[in-house]
Structure formats: C-alpha cells, structure tokens
Amino acid sequence: MKHIAVIGAGTMGNGIAHVFAQNNYKVHLVDISEEAINKGLATISGNLDRLVAKDKISNETKALTLSNISTFTSIAKGVKNVDLVVEAATENVDLKLNIFKELDKEAPKNTILASNTSSISITKIASVTNRPEKVIGMHFMNPVPIMKLVEIIRGYNTSEKVTADIMTITKKLGKVPVTVNDYPGFVANRILMPMLNEAIETLYNGVAGVIEIDTVLKLGMAHPMGPLQLADFIGLDVCLSILNVLYDGFKNPKYAPCPLLVNMVQAGKLGVKSGEGFYDYSNTKKAETVSKQF
Ligand SMILES: NC(=O)c1ccc[n+]([C@@H]2O[C@H](COP(=O)([O-])OP(=O)(O)OC[C@H]3O[C@@H](n4cnc5c(N)ncnc54)[C@H](O)[C@@H]3O)[C@@H](O)[C@H]2O)c1
C-alpha cells in the first residue's frame, strides 16, 4: 500500500495525513471545506517545524513530507487509485454512512476502507458498503503524531487478511496496533469514559472539589492529568456523546451520563474548545483555575 486517502482535515485527519506522509506514503487529504484543508496543512507544517527545531527531522524531511500530500475537496477525485482510505470526518452516524456509501462507489474495488471513529459501530458502517470484509476501524489517538497506540477494530465481517494488512501498515508508521472486536466504545473509550463519568459524579455528589479529584488521580495513580481536566481536553460534548453510545449499546445504567455533564453541555461549557469546562481557559489553554464552585 503506497497511496492513502484521508477524509477530513480536522484535528485527527491532519495528524493522520502527517504520519503517513512523513513515512513516505502519498497522501490525498480530502475535506469538503477549503478552509479546513488550509488550516490542516498549516498545522502539519507547524508540527513539522517543531520536529525540525528539536532536531528530530531535517528540513529535507519536512519538505518531502509536505510534497507527499495533495489536497482535494471531492471524495470522488480524492480516492481514485488509492490503496487505503482512512476516514476522519466529523463524528456523526448519518454523515459517516453517506461518506462510506460514496467511498464504496468511488474507490477501487480492492481498496480497504478504514474509519477513525471513536464510537460508531464499524459493523454498521460496513453494512452500507458492498465490501464489508474490507471495512475496519483504525482508531488513532490524539495528538496523532505523538501517540503510539492505534486501536484496530474488527467489524463483524472484517477479514483476517484485511486486519493483518492494517496491522502491518500501522507498524510501518512506527505505531503500535492493538486489535479489538467491534462492541460499543471498543476498549479505549469503554474503560476511559466510565472513569471520567465517575469523576464527574464524584464532583456532583460533593465528595470533593475539582482540584482535589484531579490531584488524587494525578498523584495517587500517576495519571499525567486528572480526569476532569482530561474531559475538558477531549470536549464535554464528545464525552457525553460517547457515554450515550455506551448507554444505548449496552442498555446498562452504569453508563448513564452524570446529570452534571448533561447540564454543562447544555450550558455550552464544553471544556478547552469553548473556553470553560471544569476549568477556566479564557486566557490560556492551561487548567489553572476552577471555572466555578461546583
Ligand atoms: N479529536 C479527538 O481527540 C479524536 C480522537 C480519536 C478519534 N476521533 C475521531 O476522529 C474523527 C474526526 O474527529 P476530529 O476531532 O478530527 O473532528 P474535526 O471536527 O476536527 O474535523 C472533522 C473534519 O471533517 C470534515 N468533514 C465533514 N464532513 C465531511 C465530508 N463529507 N467529507 C470530507 N470531510 C468532511 C470537516 O470539514 C472537518 O474539517 C471523528 O470520528 C472522531 O470521533 C477524534
């Protein structure tokens, strides 16, 4: 596999395009928005500059990486003659189902179609294509150029050969693939989200404050950041929607989102991206002050 299309040039898409291009794959970066493509390319260029400044790559590698990326605003044009598509568009079921219908129609018959979805069923995505054995989850972690793990999700019909090919290409990117089966939340979010939800519930119950809860997990369990700060970084809306996927998928009340989380999302307090969540980020992206007394 040498030619890769990445659908979506946002947070994850530009990171995925970056790692493939830096490892000498020819990348077609596709987004419906010209602005998102330009922003994505600027992010890749800035991240490469940082690697050059740290002496991790040369200026030539930076130039080569950028030259490996071409951009498209049409899926049909972007996926012609590619061996693998990695879809990293907005997390929305209907949108992804439409994208996969189009990918199935426009990409060559043997092309593997991967999705970077955090929570949508790969089996469901595969069901709208005529090649369910070639549809697989490639769940990169944020920030993509730095994080080693890629959770590889085998849909109900994903073939062994496709799984093996995706494991191989993931290793060629210098990442570590871990294969899991296709059930709600896969492994990463099935374990992470209930922990974040429990931290929010602990706050909601008045057991301890924001700083106290985060400090217990940071200093007591050696987590690099506390769960409330992590929820702010992921986005409280994203946490809520993944918890709802777990709740709906398992029909188990243990995944019910904490009412405080629901309230905060309804109030537009989404974490870092909105400037306020459990912490106040109005002046900086750092979690320095608690946004209000809970
Ligand atoms: N952000 C994270 O931390 C994270 C981590 C792991 C996985 N994911 C998953 O990665 C995917 C992308 O998330 P993100 O955070 O990069 O989102 P984002 O909002 O930053 O970017 C999404 C991009 O998709 C583009 N897009 C929308 N519809 C499109 C279409 N029809 N064709 C082409 N492009 C289209 C948008 O213009 C946008 O640029 C989601 O499935 C998400 O669940 C996100």
Side-chain angles (χ1 to χ4, degrees), residues 6-14 16 30-33 36-37 73 75 87-92 95-96 99 102 115-120 138-144 189 233-234 238 242:
V6 178
I7 313 296
T11 311
M12 298 304 287
N14 76 60
I16 295 167
V30 184
D31 202 294
I32 38 165
S33 147
I37 288 178
T73 48
I75 286 187
E87 173 275 323
T90 315
E91 185 81 343
N92 173 295
L95 178 85
K96 289 207 196 276
I99 289 176
E102 194 173 354
S115 175
N116 184 53
T117 177
S118 307
S119 61
I120 298 168
M138 256 185 121
H139 187 203
F140 287 84
M141 305 288 137
N142 186 14
V144 182
N189 283 319
F233 270 85
I234 293 170
V238 175
I242 297 175

Side-chain angles (χ1 to χ4, degrees), residues 207-228:
V207 179
V210 173
I211 304 269
E212 289 75 12
I213 292 168
D214 276 358
T215 304
V216 168
L217 273 288
K218 270 195 288 188
L219 302 188
M221 282 83 196
H223 288 196
M225 76 170 68
L228 299 173

